[in-house]
């Protein structure tokens, strides 16, 4: 029997304008999953994290991700996963992605590393497919495994581009206690967008990538405007526009919905601004009857890792 534990970080998907194609890694927040591999052909998932999760393993993102990896490896084993630490589901900071990323990372290690990290992204995407009703996206799982800022240039075939992370880049994330499922947040989106909307959005995506490549965080900030998803999703976040106005006045370069929401995130040039934005976000949600978890962190360059006891 071989036991391996792995950590995978929380992530901010979309980064404003990059719906389904960009994501970044937060420092220090994430999931810990262990796997025990022995002879047999069975999949068991224990949850000791204290966070409520569906008991049916068919509804757990780890199941399709682990099955995809085992099928590609051509292996049959008894796998016992234990979710030891968990970000709250529906938080908008890649909760499901952190679990499937940590699970495939640990499993790959336990099997003697048959796959590289980019291949692990493909397996972890199977978990995202489960919770977004059939649409596999990698803007959380890719940064959760690889770390840093990641661009999915293409899904068919998968083309993952790692972008440089400017050193001065501080991020405030507020996770209000509101439940928004990814499926629900995707359902409200239009199936088609106008040419004008598309032109605006791809100008911003190009500006964000250029800003990252050139280390120009002002360009990044003014490019992080989302005209595709935010107009439809902000209804789930109480008084989103008022909060955004306040946060931008405080010196944030940008404020957007994190992933499918309900978390929001703001970018700042320094920690002091990022921390006072955190307090403002907390007060905003509290005054509307919602407690909020606040994370103030740099964007991390490190993704999933093995934890040695
Ligand atoms: N890109 C995804 C979305 C992230 O916005 O729906 C959430 O999983």
């Amino acid at each position: 029997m071989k036991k391996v534990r792995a950590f995978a970080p929380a992530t901010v998907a979309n980064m404003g304008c990059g719906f389904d194609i960009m994501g970044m890694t937060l420092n220090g927040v994430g999931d810990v999953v262990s796997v025990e591999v022995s002879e047999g052909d069975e999949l068991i998932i224990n949850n000791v994290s204290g966070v409520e999760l569906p008991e049916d393993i068919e509804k757990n993102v780890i199941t399709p991700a682990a099955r995809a990896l085992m099928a590609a490896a051509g292996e049959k084993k008894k796998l016992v996963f234990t979710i030891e630490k968990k970000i709250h589901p529906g938080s908008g900071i890649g909760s499901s992605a952190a679990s499937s990323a940590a699970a495939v990372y640990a499993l790959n290690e336990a099997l003697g590393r048959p796959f590289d990290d980019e291949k692990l992204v493909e397996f972890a995407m199977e978990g995202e497919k489960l919770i977004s009703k059939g649409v596999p996206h990698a803007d959380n799982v890719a940064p959760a495994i690889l770390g840093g800022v990641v661009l999915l240039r293409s899904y068919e075939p998968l083309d993952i581009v790692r972008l440089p992370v400017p050193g001065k880049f501080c991020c405030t994330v507020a996770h209000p206690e509101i439940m928004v499922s990814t499926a629900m947040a995707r359902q409200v989106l239009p199936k088609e967008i106008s040419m004008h909307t598309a032109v605006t959005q791809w100008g911003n995506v190009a500006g964000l990538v250029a800003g990252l490549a050139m280390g120009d965080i002002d360009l990044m900030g003014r490019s992080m405007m989302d005209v595709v998803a935010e107009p439809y999703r902000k209804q789930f976040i109480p008084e989103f526009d008022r909060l955004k106005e306040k946060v931008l006045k405080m010196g944030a370069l940008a404020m957007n919905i994190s992933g499918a929401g309900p978390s929001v995130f703001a970018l700042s040039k320094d920690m002091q601004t990022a921390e006072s934005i955190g307090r403002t976000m907390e007060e905003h949600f509290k005054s509307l009857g919602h407690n909020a978890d606040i994370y103030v962190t740099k964007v991390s360059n490190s993704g999933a890792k093995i934890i040695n006891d």
Side-chain angles (χ1 to χ4, degrees):
M1 196 268 287
K2 180 151 183 143
K3 181 171 178 178
V4 176
R5 295 170 80 214
F7 166 84
T11 46
V12 170
N14 300 341
M15 297 181 69
C17 52
F19 178 73
D20 276 0
I21 59 153
M22 289 187 78
M24 64 186 185
T25 307
L26 297 178
N27 202 10
V29 195
D31 284 11
V32 175
V33 176
S34 66
V35 66
E36 290 172 36
V37 180
S38 55
E39 288 316 310
D41 182 13
E42 200 182 349
L43 178 63
I44 295 170
I45 302 176
N46 299 315
N47 173 22
V48 298
S49 67
V51 174
E52 212 175 302
L53 295 172
E55 290 198 356
D56 179 359
I57 65 159
E58 299 305 325
K59 293 194 176 131
N60 192 309
V61 291
I62 291 177
T63 302
R67 283 188 183 141
L69 191 155
M70 294 304 280
E75 298 244 28
K76 283 198 196 317
K77 299 278 181 200
K78 177 177 178 185
L79 306 177
V80 181
F81 288 97
T82 303
I83 304 168
E84 298 183 13
K85 191 167 159 259
K86 177 91 209 90
I87 313 161
H88 271 274
S91 61
I93 51 170
S95 158
S96 55
S99 288
S100 45
V104 294
Y105 204 82
L107 180 56
N108 191 49
E109 184 75 17
L111 296 177
R113 289 198 210 167
F115 302 109
D116 65 16
D117 288 357
E118 296 207 354
K119 193 72 193 165
L120 296 184
V121 171
E122 283 182 44
F123 303 137
M125 273 171 74
E126 292 299 316
E128 300 297 84
K129 193 168 161 186
L130 177 74
I131 56 150
S132 58
K133 304 247 181 290
V135 187
H137 50 272
D139 49 344
N140 287 114
V141 288
I145 290 173
L146 303 168
V149 179
V150 178
L151 164 71
L152 287 314
R153 207 266 323 152
S154 150
Y155 278 95
E156 289 169 13
L158 194 61
D159 186 358
I160 301 174
V161 183
R162 299 188 68 187
L163 293 163
V165 181
K168 276 190 182 164
F169 190 32
C170 299
C171 187
T172 311
V173 180
H175 170 210
E177 275 179 359
I178 306 166
M179 184 73 187
V180 179
S181 72
T182 302
M184 183 165 88
R186 293 182 83 85
Q187 220 164 27
V188 296
L189 301 178
K191 299 282 168 285
E192 289 173 6
I193 58 171
S194 70
M195 181 63 87
H196 178 258
T197 302
V199 170
T200 307
Q201 194 87 350
W202 63 52
N204 283 328
V205 174
L208 176 55
V209 172
L212 283 157
M214 299 189 300
D216 180 342
I217 56 176
D218 289 309
L219 173 58
M220 288 172 55
R222 64 178 190 274
S223 302
M224 290 173 82
M225 281 189 292
D226 171 22
V227 292
V228 168
E230 183 181 297
Y232 302 93
R233 288 179 165 177
K234 66 181 181 183
Q235 58 178 310
F236 299 122
I237 302 161
E239 307 254 6
F240 177 86
D241 287 331
R242 190 160 64 86
L243 176 62
K244 186 166 176 169
E245 202 184 312
K246 238 188 284 179
V247 163
L248 293 179
K249 268 197 195 135
M250 291 176 76
L253 299 159
M255 190 193 102
N256 296 94
I257 300 172
S258 173
S263 291
V264 295
F265 76 100
L267 281 191
S268 313
K269 282 186 198 171
D270 60 82
M271 265 309 183
Q272 212 182 337
T273 310
E275 272 162 12
S276 58
I277 288 171
R279 287 190 289 275
T280 298
M281 287 176 166
E282 191 173 13
E283 280 160 22
H284 171 85
F285 287 116
K286 207 159 194 173
S287 72
L288 296 166
H290 304 283
N291 287 329
D293 292 326
I294 306 294
Y295 308 96
V296 180
T297 164
K298 291 213 162 223
V299 175
S300 167
N301 257 318
S302 76
K305 58 182 184 207
I306 298 302
I307 303 173
N308 295 309
D309 296 316

